Amino acid sequence: ADSLQRPMKRFHPAAGCGATRIHFSMRTAARKCRSAVKLWRPASRARSALAYISEPEHEARCTGNEPEAGFVGAPGSRYVSEMKFFYPHVDHVPPILPCFRLVDDLGRLVEGAEQHLPVLNEELLQKLQTTMIRVSEYDKVFNDAQRQGRISFYLVSRGEEACSIGSCAALDPRDLLLPQYRELGALLWRGFTCHDVANQLTSNALDPAHGRQLPLHIGSKEKSIVYIKSTLGTQCPHAAGASYALKLQRTSRISLCYFGDGTSSHADVPSALNIAAVHKCPTIFFCRNNGYAISTNVADQYVSDGVAPRGIAFGMPTIRIDGNDMLAVFAATQRAREIALQESRPVLIEAMTYRIGAHSTSDDDSKYRTKKSPHAGWDSERAFWESRSPIIRFGRYLQSKGLFSVHREEELRKAARREAIDALNLAERAAKPDYSHMFTDVYDELSWVQHEQQNKLKAHVQKYAHKYADIMPQLVSL
């Protein structure tokens, strides 16, 4: 819809570079517009984001050395290269906590980064980048599928890919993950395939949860991932309890739960922080502070210095990091895990990032998103942060080491997009779950109420048999 109104647009959302002029023909724009909903997405599906970051105008505007980070969730925070966890009752806590990072906005190591740089081999470095690109392309396909009415709901991770992937990669695969709903990268890192995701999104018979969860609300006991829930914040006390159990069992495992700045307003979060601190639970509370909750600017959430001070207030070591810096996320999570195990106590990480897309497909972020860029020279706040996205920054870092290129990124994007389309098509053709699963997996033995419900369902389907021809054979199992 936006393209139809303005056939010529002066930015490319894949890189946020205002210097790039993209021309839309009316025919192309109409083909891209799937519905009356205003969609904000790249004009070129598989084109490399890395291709846009070497233009002279971009170099001039993106120095990589802005004194203040400018994050929406903690606008006064300054970048530092020291990985310091602030300990309550021990360290002097500044009025505004600094933001730890190792790589600047142009993909260069900052001064002093070498002492905290994680030791990662070339294969792992490339896998981190590849997984971020897979998330990026899967998000485009599945988000469009929702607009086309093929799935009911979706949430993108655009701009936040490094938070989930970098943190998950730093853990032991046996550590318990309790995601919120924007952790597709962590799911892929733990071994979920695109087909697994597509089956869950379409609620078909191949979905282990039998279609009883919201789209993207995934989990796996085998992969040590607790099922995602939309009851925001409940994963936090669950994480404290789970890690306490792991501690009592004398294992070398921890739990990590993800939550957002919006979720931090829910009462479950302070309760979880206090429980974990009092009982010395080896839990990592990983807050993705992307500046926005659903339909809500962070300015309507709190007036404090972000979320990190709450960790110190409840008695746990705390650090604020640049959540768009893959290496900083990995290093900080790795160290947090050591603290949790060695000191038997919880740790809070506030990862500052930016939510480039809407909260979900049920949200119109134009109603509450700040439009002005935090620094001069950029068309909008979104364009400013898109140019600093984890994929671009880490891509430049790898490129400087000869491990990545524009051509390689384009190949990965095309392959990931093809994989997502094929997986979605196959998932749509699969059978739907058996209706008997409406009554399974909760009670070991059904109560009289559930037996009554089964009988009512069976009577209803038999009465309107012409409407339910496809499920009549399933009634035998009821």
Side-chain angles (χ1 to χ4, degrees), residues 280-321:
K280 302 185 182 302
C281 307
T283 316
I284 297 177
F285 294 97
F286 194 99
C287 176
R288 289 178 294 94
N289 191 333
N290 61 27
Y292 297 98
I294 184 167
S295 307
T296 310
N297 189 300
V298 75
D300 298 320
Q301 293 279 352
Y302 56 75
V303 293
S304 61
D305 173 37
V307 176
R310 302 181 205 182
I312 301 171
F314 278 102
M316 62 188 68
T318 300
I319 189 172
R320 173 178 290 154
I321 65 174

Side-chain angles (χ1 to χ4, degrees), residues 16 66 69 105 373-375 378 380-388:
E66 286 80 1
D105 294 339
S373 170
H375 293 287
W378 299 89
S380 65
E381 179 186 84
R382 193 190 326 243
F384 175 85
W385 285 112
E386 182 81 43
S387 68
R388 290 154 173 76

Side-chain angles (χ1 to χ4, degrees), residues 263-281:
T263 297
S264 71
S265 296
H266 285 252
D268 278 324
V269 174
S271 297
L273 297 179
N274 193 52
I275 291 170
V278 169
H279 294 283
K280 302 185 182 302
C281 307

Side-chain angles (χ1 to χ4, degrees), residues 38-251:
K38 185 185 292 186
L39 303 182
W40 190 85
R41 60 191 181 193
S44 177
R45 291 296 185 173
R47 189 167 182 184
S48 166
L50 203 60
Y52 295 92
I53 60 177
S54 59
E55 298 184 14
E57 185 176 344
H58 183 280
E59 295 279 1
R61 291 186 296 163
C62 186
T63 64
N65 293 309
E66 286 80 1
E68 292 185 356
F71 287 107
V72 180
S77 186
R78 289 178 171 271
Y79 289 125
V80 295
S81 59
E82 179 186 9
M83 184 170 61
K84 179 171 180 58
F85 287 80
F86 287 90
Y87 278 71
H89 311 301
V90 175
D91 294 317
H92 167 72
V93 181
I96 300 178
L97 292 177
C99 186
F100 166 65
R101 72 169 174 177
L102 297 172
V103 176
D104 69 13
D105 294 339
L106 295 175
R108 305 170 303 200
L109 288 179
V110 299
E111 184 178 351
E114 290 78 9
Q115 60 178 322
H116 300 300
L117 205 62
V119 180
L120 306 174
N121 59 40
E122 293 183 2
E123 182 181 358
L124 184 55
L125 289 170
Q126 291 178 336
K127 183 180 177 182
L128 291 168
Q129 181 73 347
T130 299
T131 307
M132 284 200 292
I133 291 173
R134 288 173 65 201
V135 171
S136 176
E137 290 302 314
Y138 293 174
D139 274 353
K140 294 174 191 175
V141 172
F142 295 142
N143 192 74
D144 282 356
Q146 192 281 334
R147 296 306 192 204
Q148 296 162 3
R150 301 169 70 182
I151 60 177
S152 61
F153 180 75
Y154 195 73
L155 302 115
V156 299
S157 302
R158 190 171 179 179
E160 304 178 48
E161 296 91 349
C163 286
S164 64
I165 297 169
S167 57
C168 183
L171 300 177
D172 186 294
R174 300 172 302 143
D175 290 337
L176 199 62
L177 281 186
L178 293 93
Q180 184 160 313
Y181 43 54
R182 216 176 296 279
E183 282 78 38
L184 176 59
L187 301 176
L188 297 179
W189 191 268
R190 281 284 173 97
F192 276 95
T193 68
C194 189
H195 289 278
D196 294 331
V197 177
N199 290 331
Q200 198 278 333
L201 293 175
T202 55
S203 298
N204 65 28
L206 300 175
D207 171 21
H210 309 298
R212 295 174 301 201
Q213 284 275 79
L214 271 171
L216 214 57
H217 288 46
I218 305 175
S220 169
K221 181 178 180 180
E222 294 71 27
K223 295 177 175 60
S224 298
I225 301 176
V226 176
Y227 263 90
I228 298 170
K229 301 160 287 294
S230 276
T231 47
L232 297 182
T234 57
Q235 72 273 20
C236 297
H238 293 167
S243 61
Y244 187 62
L246 295 172
K247 174 183 175 180
L248 293 178
Q249 294 167 4
R250 301 186 183 280
T251 69

